[in-house]
Amino acid sequence: GRRGGLAGEADDTWAEAAAAGGGRSAGGLHAGAPAEAAAGSAPWAGLLKASVNDGIAIKSVGSAAPVKIEVLGDSTLWTGPRDGAFAWMDESLEDRAADRDRRLAEAEAGLIEAVRARHPEIEDLVVGTVGVPSQAEVVLCGRILCEGLEGRLNERSMLLEGSKTAARGARVQLNVSGCPQVAAFPGQLVAVLGRSGTTGTTFHARDFIAGLDLPPASAPVAPSCTSLLHVLVVSGPFCTRDALDYSPLRQALAHAVQSRPQVVLIIGPFVDANNRMIVNGEAILPGMSEEDEPLGFEDVYTEHVLPMLRKGILELKRVSPNSEVLIVPSLDEALSFHPMPQPPLHVGLAGCLPADSLEPLRRLGVQFLPNPAHISVNGLKISITSADALSPVLRSGLVLRPEERKIEQALRLLLQQRSLF
């Protein structure tokens, strides 16, 4: 389909362009746009920044056809044992270590099969244990670590950590100089083929498996997704950094009413914790004078943002009853303090806003999703996050050999790791 950067209100690709997270745009006006771009009769009408495959003709779907949406994954990641948000501040180090070990144990079988598929000439592939010396060629599965706590990963500072179940968390120096290809970052689950050194403290690898490759699709499209699917994505923050004018959000909702998509995905933050007015505690909305008492963050939600959402979604439901609206929170939400995985917005804000604040949206059929979220829309699987999943991989020291485009390779590694954080 077509992907635009930031388009004006009259352009059909206005917010379909918004990617799930990472961008710091202000609705139709990019946060880095010059001030004169905001002057004029339509101050928030943005410009088309980029378009991919714009030569493809896109047919209008007319009235939105009903879709089936299913939330995938383990709901305990965001609900926890208390039927609410998980108690992240009460998590013990043992619980965190057990979860990391579980992920590694689940990936080991697939990683070993990937080694077998790449080396069919090895009839009896031996699976070794990290920390146990072996002069015979073996396969080790483990997690990539950096030797220095504060340093960036490179080929000389690479450690391999085994699982606590099989290897009791043993670590060895990983020598990958003999591998034709390497793509590694700290925390990555990998398999390596090679031999241990004489002391057993170093493992000399000759092949490096960077993760679990995605299986080939059984069909070009999902079996139940055989007709045109129209999804509108709107990504926050919805104000510039130094104001609380929510005109971009209002225009995005108006565009949804006009285009009548089957699915509207709204990604936070709705009250951006990095907004200068929020940082300074001076929440002054348009129409308020400097002499007025600044609003509390709760008031910005209950008196401004949530009513605007309700009004826009109510109008959308009036003209297109089958349109589904999904809301994903952000780590930059001013009153939501949960780290990843983040609970749905109605759970994250439960202790900060009146209990019935988001009930009007729920009555309109709005679905509140966690962050990250994995959903199925008519059989088409979509992963969503408002967090920047790439920067941590790139900042921690992405080791690539041969040199490739780092962003493309980082995206591929995220898919191979089956995780967005």
Side-chain angles (χ1 to χ4, degrees), residues 119-351:
H119 297 278
E121 73 280 1
I122 304 178
E123 295 182 359
D124 297 323
L125 189 66
V126 179
V127 180
T129 302
V130 177
V132 177
S134 174
Q135 294 303 308
E137 190 171 65
V138 297
V139 175
L140 298 184
C141 296
R143 178 178 287 102
I144 296 294
L145 300 177
C146 183
E147 188 174 21
L149 293 178
E150 303 296 333
R152 289 170 56 87
L153 187 70
N154 57 60
E155 290 196 24
R156 296 183 179 181
S157 65
M158 203 176 296
L159 301 178
L160 184 69
E161 180 184 65
S163 67
K164 292 189 177 297
T165 304
R168 297 184 180 180
R171 300 176 180 180
V172 295
Q173 192 80 34
L174 184 59
N175 178 13
V176 295
S177 60
C179 299
Q181 293 181 336
V182 177
F185 64 91
Q188 178 187 14
L189 304 183
V190 303
V192 287
L193 177 66
R195 288 182 169 84
S196 299
T198 55
T199 62
T201 59
T202 303
F203 188 82
H204 302 278
R206 73 176 180 93
D207 199 5
F208 188 96
I209 305 296
L212 301 171
D213 287 331
L214 293 177
S218 57
V221 295
S224 57
C225 189
T226 56
S227 59
L228 186 64
L229 179 64
H230 184 188
V231 178
L232 175 68
V233 180
V234 184
S235 182
F238 300 103
C239 304
T240 53
R241 286 292 184 91
D242 55 356
L244 289 176
D245 187 346
Y246 281 86
S247 296
L249 179 58
R250 184 183 298 109
Q251 288 193 357
L253 294 172
H255 178 79
V257 173
Q258 180 182 5
S259 58
R260 304 181 185 183
Q262 293 163 283
V263 180
V264 179
L265 176 61
I266 307 177
I267 303 173
F270 297 94
V271 179
D272 184 14
N274 299 303
N275 186 283
R276 292 178 185 174
M277 284 191 168
I278 298 299
V279 171
N280 297 330
E282 301 174 351
I284 304 295
L285 297 174
M288 297 176 60
S289 66
E290 296 182 356
E291 290 77 18
D292 292 334
E293 187 74 19
L295 297 177
F297 299 162
E298 301 88 346
D299 299 329
V300 179
Y301 281 102
T302 58
E303 298 180 13
H304 198 66
V305 177
L306 297 180
M308 184 181 296
L309 284 172
R310 179 183 178 278
K311 181 179 179 181
I313 296 172
L314 181 63
E315 181 64 18
L316 173 64
K317 288 290 187 177
R318 187 184 66 80
V319 299
S320 181
N322 292 327
S323 294
E324 298 285 348
V325 180
L326 313 176
I327 291 182
V328 176
S330 168
L331 295 175
D332 290 331
E333 209 69 58
L335 291 182
S336 184
F337 308 106
H338 288 270
M340 298 271 272
Q342 196 175 13
L345 193 65
H346 71 285
V347 176
L349 297 179

Side-chain angles (χ1 to χ4, degrees), residues 43-103:
W44 295 105
L47 300 174
L48 180 66
K49 306 296 286 188
S51 183
V52 178
N53 294 332
D54 54 353
I56 298 177
I58 301 179
K59 299 178 182 179
S60 174
V61 297
S63 180
V67 294
K68 180 182 178 181
I69 297 178
E70 180 184 0
V71 181
L72 308 176
D74 183 5
S75 62
T76 59
L77 286 176
W78 63 85
T79 59
R82 303 179 185 177
D83 195 25
F86 72 99
W88 56 275
M89 292 188 68
D90 297 331
E91 278 187 323
S92 65
L93 292 177
E94 290 78 10
D95 290 340
R96 298 186 186 187
D99 187 69
R100 284 161 50 94
D101 204 50
R102 177 189 57 78
R103 284 198 63 226

